[in-house]
Amino acid sequence: MIRYILRRCGQAIITIIAVSIIVFIILHLLPGGLVRAQLGQKASPIQVHALEVQEGLLKPLPVQYLTWAWNALRGNLGYSYKLSENVSTLLSEYVPRTFLLVAVSLLFAVAIAIPMGLWQGYRRNHLDDHALSGTMLVMYSMPTFLLGVVLIVVLNIWLPIFPSTASNFGGSLSIDATDLALPIITLSLANVSYFSRYMRSSVIDNLLEDYVRTAKSKGARNRTVLLRHVLRNSLNSTLTLLGLSLPYTVSGSLIVEALFNYPGAGLLFWNSAQTRDFPVLLGIVLIIAVMTVLGNLIVDILYGVIDPRVRVQ
């Protein structure tokens, strides 16, 4: 197990290094360059040259990358020339909110999708299975922003239960629970439709396996077979999807945050894109990429815990 974890950690480190190189390349491919983005298109050549010397942009690219990577490891991701604040300070305030939103929504989605998919697989081709499958297919086909708009209309306009925009912007995680409701429901429903369909298919496949017939022939009840045998084997595909869905969920959170005015990294990314605040944009891309890689690493470790065959391979 230790060797398996070390191997997965090594792969995660290589992926993060590759992502950092891509982010660094993007930094040097910005329209007009980072200097023009700070000084404007009307800056004189003398001003441009002075800033290039100040920020070390005239050094060879490998030297620039090593300097940038070392600063990033120390938490120095640059300076927001639009907000007049260090990027690392901004991210320390906004990213935890996005992490909270993604983590809670995935937790709710898995908690709902697993028993739903288990029930649908057991009740396959019955009326309740067809009703749930049709509902999940509709939600699966809806873009995240459209699902959010529908929830605003239903739960804010027709039934004024939850606010449609966040109101509390204080502190790193200081936000009212009601402000979290609609963003979490939106991301959770999008993921429930994704997880439950695969959970249902996995349950149906496992119900046809020999070990299920053997357990039933020994007198085991259907509930015991489902919970002790089918559920565990069916979780493998769900955990795999959980890792694969992290980039989709994080990107969806960017749209959701902008839609609900939720004060997270997505809203900061949206506002920075409007003002061409490139250091903030690239800092968010790097941090979100690292979060996604670490999330997949955790899922891989859990996958190895549930299925010993993965550790052996």
Side-chain angles (χ1 to χ4, degrees):
M1 184 64 183
I2 296 178
R3 182 179 300 176
Y4 171 78
I5 294 176
L6 291 177
R7 185 167 64 249
R8 286 293 184 266
C9 289
Q11 294 173 354
I13 292 174
I14 293 174
T15 304
I16 291 175
I17 293 175
V19 169
S20 69
I21 293 175
I22 294 174
V23 172
F24 179 77
I25 293 174
I26 294 175
L27 181 68
H28 287 76
L29 295 178
L30 295 174
L34 182 60
V35 174
R36 288 290 181 182
Q38 296 182 56
L39 299 179
Q41 298 299 323
K42 297 182 178 180
S44 65
I46 296 178
Q47 293 175 317
V48 172
H49 179 75
L51 189 57
E52 288 177 340
V53 173
Q54 177 182 339
E55 298 192 356
L57 298 178
L58 298 179
K59 297 179 181 179
L61 283 180
V63 176
Q64 293 185 46
Y65 171 75
L66 292 176
T67 302
W68 177 81
W70 175 246
N71 290 333
L73 287 175
R74 295 187 301 168
N76 181 11
L77 296 174
Y79 188 79
S80 171
Y81 44 83
K82 297 294 183 180
L83 299 176
S84 300
E85 195 170 356
N86 289 326
V87 174
S88 57
T89 303
L90 290 171
L91 295 182
S92 66
E93 179 181 352
Y94 285 86
V95 169
R97 294 182 182 136
T98 296
F99 179 79
L100 176 66
L101 176 62
V102 171
V104 174
S105 62
L106 283 177
L107 180 63
F108 276 107
V110 171
I112 296 172
I114 289 178
M116 180 186 296
L118 186 64
W119 175 258
Q120 286 185 261
Y122 176 69
R123 296 279 298 175
R124 62 188 182 280
N125 297 329
H126 285 74
L127 181 60
D128 49 354
D129 175 41
H130 290 311
L132 287 173
S133 296
T135 303
M136 292 300 103
L137 182 60
V138 170
M139 289 198 299
Y140 181 77
S141 304
M142 294 177 65
T144 305
F145 73 89
L146 180 57
L147 181 58
V149 171
V150 171
L151 290 175
I152 289 176
V153 173
V154 175
L155 298 180
N156 179 257
I157 298 178
W158 292 354
L159 301 173
I161 301 175
F162 301 116
S164 61
T165 58
S167 57
N168 188 354
F169 284 77
S172 59
L173 287 175
S174 178
I175 186 168
D176 293 336
T178 54
D179 293 335
L180 278 168
L182 283 181
I184 287 178
I185 293 174
T186 301
L187 283 179
S188 296
L189 289 179
N191 284 310
V192 165
S193 61
Y194 183 58
F195 294 147
S196 63
R197 295 173 70 250
Y198 284 91
M199 183 66 182
R200 175 185 179 275
S201 299
S202 182
V203 169
I204 292 175
D205 291 339
N206 280 279
L207 285 174
L208 300 176
E209 294 292 336
D210 292 336
Y211 71 86
V212 173
R213 289 191 291 269
T214 302
K216 289 183 178 180
S217 66
K218 291 181 178 180
R221 298 180 179 179
N222 289 335
R223 179 178 179 180
T224 302
V225 173
L226 283 174
L227 297 180
R228 295 188 58 182
H229 302 288
V230 175
L231 176 60
R232 181 169 182 175
N233 288 308
S234 300
L235 283 177
N236 293 339
S237 60
T238 304
L239 282 178
T240 303
L241 290 175
L242 183 61
L244 295 175
S245 68
L246 280 174
Y248 165 77
T249 305
V250 172
S251 61
S253 70
L254 303 183
I255 300 174
V256 168
E257 289 178 15
L259 178 63
F260 293 103
N261 197 38
Y262 178 80
L267 183 61
L268 179 63
F269 187 91
W270 174 263
N271 293 333
S272 299
Q274 305 300 310
T275 59
R276 295 171 59 86
D277 198 348
F278 292 121
V280 176
L281 294 177
L282 295 172
I284 293 175
V285 170
L286 180 62
I287 294 298
I288 295 300
V290 171
M291 287 175 55
T292 303
V293 171
L294 293 179
N296 278 280
L297 175 62
I298 295 174
V299 171
D300 285 341
I301 294 175
L302 291 177
Y303 199 12
V305 171
I306 292 179
D307 191 350
R309 295 173 298 179
V310 175
R311 302 196 299 267
V312 174
Q313 293 173 357

